[in-house]
C-alpha cells in the first residue's frame, strides 16, 4: 500500500489520513467489509459532486447502497435519524455492516450517531467533504443531532474506524462554505498556536497549495487536545472558544432567519464576543482584542444582533452542554495561543459583549 502524498495522524483508537492518495488507503480499510453490506450516506451535494469519485476509486463500493438526505443543519434531527434507522432495518443490516459518511458536518455528526446507536453500534468511516468537517466535525469522536432547537444535545462519543480527508473535494465548495470552516481554523490558532494565527491572518484559502497544511495543522491541534481529554472532562473544553455565544446565535438564526447563518459565521460572531469577555475578565489586552476583532471582521460579513433577541440568546446559552450548576461556562483567551476553560461569566458581561460586537459595525 503506497502512502505517497498522505499524512497519517493517530487518534485515540483510529487514524486520520490526509492527501490526494487517501482512496488507496481506504481500499485497504474496506477489505474486511467486502462481503458485508456497505452503505454510503450522502446529501444532494455530495451525491452530485463526490460519490462518483469515491466509488470509481474503490471497487468494493460498486455494490454499496446510497442513502440520501437533504443538506442543512435543519435536517440534523431525530426525525431524519428515524427514517435512516428504518431504512437500515428494512435492509436487514447486521452488526458486520459498514456506514460511510460522505459529506459535511451534518452528515458526519448524524451518520456517526446513527451507526453508533443502530444495534448498539455498527462500524462507520468518515469521508468529510467540507473544510468545516475536514478540520473539525469528523475528528474527535463526537456524534450527535439537534433537538428542540438545541445544538448537538443528543449524541454519543464514538470514533470512526477511520477518517479519510481528500482535500480536492474542497474545490466543489463556494466561498461562504470555505469561510465557515475557516472560522474553526482561526479558533484552533487562537487557543493553541500563535504562529498559525499569523498564517491564517494572511489568508490561507485563496491558494489551494495551502489547503493541506491548513487541514493538517488544525487536525493536529484538535487531536492533541482530544487525546488528552477524549470525553471533555477538562482540556477538551478549550475547543469551545467562540461556541457558547456562537451556538446560541446559530440556533436562533436557524429558527428565525430566512437565510440562516452557517456554523462558522455564527462562531465568528461568538469569537469576537468571547474575546471581549476575555479582555474584560481574563487579563487579555485591548490590543489583542482589537487584533482579533479586526481580523475576523476582515473575513466575515456583519450579522446584526438585534437587542430584542438578546434575552433569547441568553436562554439558549443556558442549555450549553458544558454548563454546570446552571452557570454559563466559557473558554476564554489569556493571549493569542493560550486559552483557559471553566470560566463562569455573568449575564451582564455577556450582554455587554453582544453590544460590543454591534458597536464594531457602526459609523
Amino acid at each position: 500500500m503506497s502512502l505517497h502524498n498522505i499524512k497519517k495522524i493517530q487518534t485515540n483508537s483510529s487514524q486520520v489520513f490526509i492527501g490526494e492518495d487517501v482512496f488507496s488507503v481506504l481500499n485497504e480499510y474496506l477489505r474486511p467489509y467486502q462481503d458485508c453490506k456497505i452503505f454510503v450516506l450522502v446529501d444532494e451535494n455530495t451525491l452530485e459532486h463526490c460519490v462518483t469519485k469515491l466509488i470509481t476509486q474503490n471497487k468494493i463500493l460498486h455494490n454499496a447502497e446510497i442513502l440520501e438526505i437533504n443538506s442543512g443543519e435543519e435536517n440534523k434531527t431525530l426525525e431524519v435519524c428515524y427514517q435512516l434507522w428504518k431504512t437500515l432495518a428494512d435492509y436487514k443490516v447486521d452488526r458486520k455492516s459498514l456506514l460511510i459518511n460522505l459529506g459535511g458536518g451534518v452528515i458526519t455528526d448524524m451518520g456517526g450517531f446513527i451507526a453508533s446507536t443502530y444495534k448498539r453500534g455498527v462500524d462507520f468511516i468518515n469521508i468529510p467533504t467540507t473544510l468545516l468537517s475536514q478540520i473539525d466535525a469528523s475528528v474527535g469522536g463526537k456524534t450527535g443531532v439537534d433537538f428542540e432547537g438545541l445544538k448537538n444535545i443528543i449524541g454519543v462519543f464514538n470514533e470512526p474506524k477511520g477518517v479519510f480527508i481528500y482535500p480536492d473535494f474542497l474545490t466543489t465548495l463556494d466561498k461562504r462554505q470555505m469561510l465557515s470552516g475557516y472560522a474553526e481554523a482561526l479558533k484552533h490558532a487562537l487557543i493553541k498556536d500563535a504562529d498559525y494565527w499569523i498564517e491564517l491572518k494572511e489568508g490561507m484559502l485563496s491558494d489551494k497549495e495551502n489547503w493541506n497544511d491548513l487541514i493538517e495543522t488544525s487536525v493536529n491541534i484538535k487531536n492533541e487536545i482530544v487525546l488528552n481529554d477524549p470525553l471533555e472532562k477538562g482540556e477538551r473544553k478549550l475547543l469551545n472558544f467562540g461556541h457558547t455565544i456562537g451556538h446560541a446565535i446559530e440556533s436562533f438564526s436557524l429558527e428565525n432567519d430566512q437565510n440562516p447563518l452557517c456554523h462558522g459565521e455564527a462562531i465568528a460572531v461568538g469569537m469576537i464576543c468571547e474575546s471581549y469577555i476575555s479582555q474584560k475578565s481574563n487579563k487579555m489586552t485591548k490590543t489583542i482584542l482589537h487584533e482579533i476583532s479586526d481580523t475576523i471582521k476582515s473575513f466575515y460579513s456583519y450579522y446584526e444582533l438585534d437587542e430584542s433577541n438578546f434575552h433569547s440568546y441568553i436562554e439558549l446559552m443556558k442549555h450549553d452542554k458544558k454548563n454546570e450548576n446552571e452557570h454559563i461556562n466559557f473558554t476564554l483567551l489569556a493571549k493569542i495561543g493560550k486559552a483557559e476553560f471553566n470560566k463562569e461569566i455573568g449575564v451582564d458581561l455577556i450582554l455587554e459583549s453582544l453590544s460590543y460586537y454591534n458597536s464594531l459595525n457602526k459609523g
Side-chain angles (χ1 to χ4, degrees):
M1 176 175 59
S2 168
L3 290 180
H4 180 62
N5 292 329
I6 292 178
K7 297 288 186 179
K8 176 183 173 182
I9 297 171
Q10 180 67 45
T11 69
N12 270 308
S13 60
S14 184
Q15 291 86 32
V16 179
F17 298 95
I18 305 166
E20 60 188 65
D21 294 335
V22 290
F23 294 128
S24 63
V25 187
L26 178 61
N27 265 317
E28 296 299 316
Y29 265 66
L30 292 176
R31 287 189 195 283
Y33 304 97
Q34 58 188 346
D35 297 321
C36 306
K37 292 177 180 174
I38 301 177
F39 297 83
V40 183
L41 181 63
V42 301
D43 60 24
E44 71 276 11
N45 298 313
T46 49
L47 182 65
E48 179 181 353
H49 298 293
C50 306
V51 78
T52 300
K53 175 76 174 178
L54 172 65
I55 290 175
T56 55
Q57 294 285 323
N58 297 274
K59 289 181 181 177
I60 293 170
L61 297 181
H62 287 184
N63 294 319
E65 297 287 347
I66 306 297
L67 305 177
E68 184 186 358
I69 62 169
N70 293 325
S71 64
E73 187 76 21
E74 64 272 18
N75 295 301
K76 200 168 93 175
T77 64
L78 283 174
E79 287 77 15
V80 176
C81 290
Y82 174 88
Q83 293 300 325
L84 289 165
W85 283 319
K86 186 175 185 306
T87 301
L88 295 178
D90 289 344
Y91 273 105
K92 296 181 173 56
V93 168
D94 58 35
R95 290 170 76 177
K96 293 182 179 178
S97 302
L98 176 71
L99 179 65
I100 297 174
N101 300 313
L102 178 70
V106 171
I107 291 281
T108 56
D109 280 359
M110 186 163 61
F113 177 66
I114 288 162
S116 300
T117 49
Y118 184 81
K119 291 197 173 178
R120 297 194 180 93
V122 298
D123 290 349
F124 66 99
I125 281 171
N126 285 340
I127 305 177
T129 59
T130 65
L131 183 60
L132 178 63
S133 60
Q134 289 184 354
I135 69 172
D136 187 65
S138 68
V139 181
K142 277 187 177 180
T143 74
V145 294
D146 304 339
F147 183 70
E148 296 293 316
L150 302 173
K151 285 273 298 177
N152 299 324
I153 205 74
I154 297 174
V156 298
F157 287 99
N158 190 22
E159 284 209 45
K161 289 298 175 184
V163 178
F164 299 86
I165 298 175
Y166 181 62
D168 267 18
F169 278 148
L170 300 182
T171 59
T172 67
L173 303 182
D174 60 23
K175 184 179 179 182
R176 186 181 182 198
Q177 286 297 322
M178 288 292 281
L179 280 171
S180 182
Y182 205 62
E184 292 290 352
L186 291 167
K187 179 201 75 178
H188 291 145
L190 286 170
I191 63 172
K192 273 288 183 181
D193 191 334
D195 292 335
Y196 187 32
W197 170 255
I198 292 169
E199 288 186 86
L200 291 169
K201 274 176 63 179
E202 298 301 314
M204 294 182 73
L205 289 184
S206 55
D207 188 348
K208 187 180 168 187
E209 295 298 313
N210 295 324
W211 291 357
N212 279 42
D213 288 342
L214 188 159
I215 295 164
E216 186 183 351
T217 303
S218 272
V219 169
N220 271 317
I221 289 171
K222 181 168 183 180
N223 187 53
E224 180 187 334
I225 292 170
V226 173
L227 283 173
N228 292 332
D229 178 26
L231 300 181
E232 205 167 42
K233 303 297 185 186
E235 185 184 350
R236 186 166 179 165
K237 294 179 184 178
L238 291 175
L239 295 165
N240 196 46
F241 176 67
H243 284 60
T244 301
I245 291 175
H247 268 167
I249 291 168
E250 182 183 6
S251 295
F252 186 88
S253 175
L254 198 64
E255 292 289 322
N256 294 280
D257 292 346
Q258 195 167 353
N259 181 24
L261 289 171
C262 295
H263 173 74
E265 292 168 336
I267 298 312
V269 178
M271 286 192 291
I272 290 177
C273 295
E274 294 180 26
S275 294
Y276 177 85
I277 295 172
S278 299
Q279 190 270 311
K280 286 292 185 179
S281 70
N282 203 48
K283 310 178 292 288
M284 195 181 83
T285 67
K286 279 190 176 180
T287 302
I288 293 176
L289 170 61
H290 294 151
E291 179 183 338
I292 293 169
S293 300
D294 290 346
T295 299
I296 292 174
K297 269 182 63 182
S298 73
F299 290 115
Y300 299 91
S301 302
Y302 172 57
Y303 175 78
E304 184 176 2
L305 302 177
D306 194 312
E307 283 194 30
S308 65
N309 300 328
F310 280 13
H311 177 72
S312 297
Y313 298 149
I314 296 293
E315 288 305 305
L316 285 163
M317 287 176 220
K318 289 178 179 176
H319 288 283
D320 189 280
K321 298 180 294 301
K322 294 157 202 75
N323 292 342
E324 296 173 6
N325 301 321
E326 298 188 14
H327 293 117
I328 299 178
N329 240 328
F330 283 82
T331 290
L332 299 176
L333 301 177
K335 60 183 181 180
I336 291 171
K338 180 173 172 55
E340 298 165 355
F341 55 86
N342 283 351
K343 298 288 184 176
E344 293 177 6
I345 299 298
V347 169
D348 287 349
L349 184 52
I350 298 171
L351 294 173
E352 207 177 293
S353 77
L354 300 174
S355 296
Y356 167 76
Y357 172 81
N358 280 341
S359 74
L360 292 176
N361 297 279
K362 290 178 181 171

